[in-house]
Amino acid sequence: MPPAASPVPPSAAAAAPAADDSSAANAVVVLGGRYELGAMLGRGASAKVYQARDLVNGGDVAIKSFPNPGSGGGGAIEREAAILRRLRHRHVVRLHEILGTRKKVHFVLDLASGGELFSLVDASGRMAEPLARRYFQQLISAVRYCHSRGVFHRDIKPENLLLDANGSLKVADFGLGTIISPNHSNPPQQQQHTLCGTPAYVAPEILAKQGYDPAKVDLWSCGVVLFVLAAGYLPFNDASLVNMYRKIYAGRFRCPPWFSRELRDLLRRILDPNPATRVSADGILSHPWFRGGASEGELADLMRDEDEEEEFKEEEDMMGREMTAFDILGFSPGSDLSGMFGAGPGRERVFVGEPAAKVMGRVEEVGRKAGFQVRKKEGKAGNGGGGGVVFVESGNGGVVAKVIVFRIAEEVSVVEVAKGHGDEAARFWKEWLEPAMKAPAAAL
Ligand SMILES: Nc1ncnc2c1ncn2[C@@H]1O[C@H](COP(=O)(O)OP(=O)(O)OP(=O)(O)O)[C@@H](O)[C@H]1O
């Protein structure tokens, strides 16, 4: 795993890489002493994207290069970086690292070497329903995950849906994305009214310049993508842009004769011009066309979030390193260690004088008592055993807290809490979780 992404460096302070991609036309260009630049894969309005070889592990990556905005005007790059750093999902292009040169800012990304999803359509420009279903399931799995992390893409369209070497979907280009706290009841005005997206994929409430729910807007675009995949043409189209907007606004579209009854029904529910009655992500999940005969277990597997076990392992390794310092310093149980080990913004770290299983049980208990949904994932028995992760989530799937419990010794655990965003999450930490962590330690 490459090192964690670092902040976008300001132009002057950036460590100079071995070369800048503009410095020589024919010479081998190695960025950051590590990534050997290859062919250009594509270009967008803001960046060029190249294939590159990671000289450390021999793997292939994509490098998205933006002109370095210097000290001003880097907001859009910063925002895209902040979004990508929050996301870790098998169907979302992952950001591994950011490199800065005098002239450029480079994102090192997962390579989507399979090209665009739309390269898979047949000669008539469409996909059979089972294949369209498979990719739509992957898309909804990614979009639902992003929403649960407070990220809204706002520009879901075919060009941003890529494939990896295994033919798996990867959602790319969060350049128009935004982060809104999942529990934020009143998103800021500017957020609500920003005109985003590509006309044919844009939801009617955006055209009407009404305030909008960004989750519903993303789902609308997913509905348009599904229609295009299965039909081979756009649901709302007209030579006149104004007429196209009228059709979108009225939700007026016709399904081709080859669509199954269930697919028509699902599309009617997604492409509902009224966002209040438009189907939610959960509604899509329980729709018969979406399920396509999958069992509960298969569906849960399809929709599972990031590889929690892998993430837990990584955090555990990180804690392992920190624990060496911790042992040397010899803190006593009950100390609040937040800050001391760089718990970071939105995170808390507490030392508890109790077995990990007991601490996890108490986190579960307070989560439920506070009225949230709780999911528990036990850690692997190795490395001393015990511990795991407890996810505390609100009804709409928003993260209230992710609590990782590490077993240090039989009666000693370290609890790391990644707080969700918004007042609800802050309150849960202050009023429920923090007291629940402190009480037994104080009793020691
Ligand atoms: N991770 C990747 N792997 C392979 N190809 C990629 C990757 N990311 C982007 N590309 C290719 O590069 C093109 C441009 O990338 P992207 O859309 O991210 O740039 P952009 O400047 O943000 O675009 P836009 O103009 O849509 O804002 C894509 O359409 C795609 O063909």
Side-chain angles (χ1 to χ4, degrees):
M1 184 70 207
S6 54
V8 177
S11 56
D20 201 84
D21 62 306
S22 60
S23 60
N26 299 315
V28 172
V29 176
V30 179
L31 288 175
R34 173 164 182 179
Y35 303 99
E36 187 181 312
L37 225 54
M40 186 160 87
L41 296 168
R43 70 195 303 167
S46 59
K48 289 180 187 164
V49 180
Y50 300 89
Q51 179 155 351
R53 174 161 296 260
D54 181 343
L55 297 176
V56 170
N57 60 26
D60 290 322
V61 292
I63 306 266
K64 182 168 179 175
S65 299
F66 302 84
N68 195 331
S71 49
I77 306 176
E78 290 273 5
R79 189 181 58 198
E80 190 168 342
I83 287 174
L84 287 170
R85 263 197 223 112
R86 276 178 159 238
L87 304 176
R88 184 173 276 221
H89 189 273
R90 65 202 178 286
H91 295 308
V92 176
V93 164
R94 190 178 294 186
L95 173 66
H96 295 293
E97 197 176 358
I98 299 175
L99 303 168
T101 72
R102 236 172 347 99
K103 294 183 185 159
K104 302 254 164 90
V105 173
H106 308 277
F107 286 4
V108 181
L109 299 163
D110 275 348
L111 174 69
S113 60
E116 290 184 10
L117 171 62
F118 273 71
S119 64
L120 297 184
V121 296
D122 63 19
S124 50
R126 60 182 197 249
M127 277 182 192
E129 280 187 31
L131 192 61
R133 175 187 294 117
R134 189 170 122 204
Y135 285 111
F136 185 66
Q137 286 170 336
Q138 296 183 4
L139 175 60
I140 293 296
S141 158
V143 166
R144 199 163 159 263
Y145 165 78
C146 292
H147 292 176
S148 78
R149 307 281 294 130
V151 169
F152 302 89
H153 190 287
R154 304 199 297 185
D155 194 21
I156 293 170
K157 59 180 176 182
E159 298 91 300
N160 294 332
L161 303 179
L162 306 177
L163 296 168
D164 68 12
N166 304 316
S168 233
L169 183 79
K170 295 273 181 189
V171 178
D173 192 5
F174 283 77
L176 285 182
T178 186
I179 304 179
I180 301 176
S181 148
N183 304 315
H184 206 305
S185 52
N186 186 19
Q189 287 297 99
Q190 152 238 351
Q191 211 74 269
Q192 276 183 301
H193 292 278
T194 312
L195 192 59
C196 285
T198 306
Y201 292 81
V202 130
E205 60 270 28
I206 293 202
L207 299 178
K209 298 204 170 64
Q210 293 165 355
Y212 59 82
D213 168 352
K216 291 281 174 97
V217 165
D218 274 350
L219 292 177
W220 172 280
S221 309
C222 292
V224 178
V225 167
L226 172 59
F227 186 103
V228 177
L229 282 177
Y233 58 86
L234 285 163
F236 309 104
N237 205 4
D238 200 288
S240 141
L241 200 62
V242 173
N243 281 340
M244 184 172 96
Y245 285 162
R246 286 200 182 112
K247 287 178 184 171
I248 293 174
Y249 198 66
R252 204 164 59 235
F253 68 98
R254 292 174 76 108
C255 292
W258 58 84
F259 275 17
S260 65
R261 196 180 44 78
E262 283 175 346
L263 176 57
R264 285 161 199 261
D265 182 75
L266 176 59
L267 283 165
R268 290 260 158 243
R269 290 169 196 266
I270 303 177
L271 300 178
D272 174 349
N274 179 357
T277 50
R278 188 175 308 148
V279 70
S280 64
D282 284 347
I284 294 176
L285 251 57
S286 56
H287 192 276
W289 187 87
F290 184 89
R291 301 183 66 114
S295 69
E296 272 310 320
E298 287 163 340
L299 202 71
D301 194 43
L302 272 169
M303 291 299 128
R304 79 178 192 279
D305 278 352
E306 73 243 78
D307 191 339
E308 290 155 9
E309 193 61 62
E310 179 198 329
E311 192 183 13
F312 176 64
K313 185 80 196 62
E314 272 175 29
E315 302 241 14
E316 199 174 31
D317 288 348
M318 185 190 78
M319 286 294 291
R321 286 197 295 280
E322 290 177 354
M323 275 308 125
T324 323
F326 174 87
D327 288 340
I328 295 165
L329 290 168
F331 283 100
S332 61
S335 317
D336 175 2
L337 301 179
S338 44
M340 285 183 168
F341 293 99
R347 292 179 98 92
E348 306 282 349
R349 207 168 277 164
V350 187
F351 191 22
V352 183
E354 273 189 320
K358 203 162 172 192
V359 176
M360 285 182 71
R362 215 169 41 256
V363 174
E364 262 190 288
E365 192 187 313
V366 294
R368 293 222 166 83
K369 269 196 191 147
F372 296 115
Q373 284 164 17
V374 177
R375 278 189 301 130
K376 192 162 85 169
K377 186 138 180 114
E378 306 276 354
K380 284 228 172 80
N383 201 12
V389 190
V390 182
F391 296 87
V392 181
E393 293 162 341
S394 62
N396 61 10
V399 178
V400 177
K402 183 173 129 188
V403 184
I404 309 177
V405 182
F406 300 92
R407 177 193 187 275
I408 304 301
E410 188 59 42
E411 295 280 331
V412 185
S413 312
V414 165
V415 182
E416 177 158 320
V417 182
K419 288 182 270 186
H421 296 266
D423 299 345
E424 194 181 33
R427 251 198 327 275
F428 177 64
W429 163 250
K430 263 278 150 247
E431 291 171 17
W432 294 89
L433 210 48
E434 193 179 29
M437 294 299 102
K438 287 209 161 143
L444 275 177

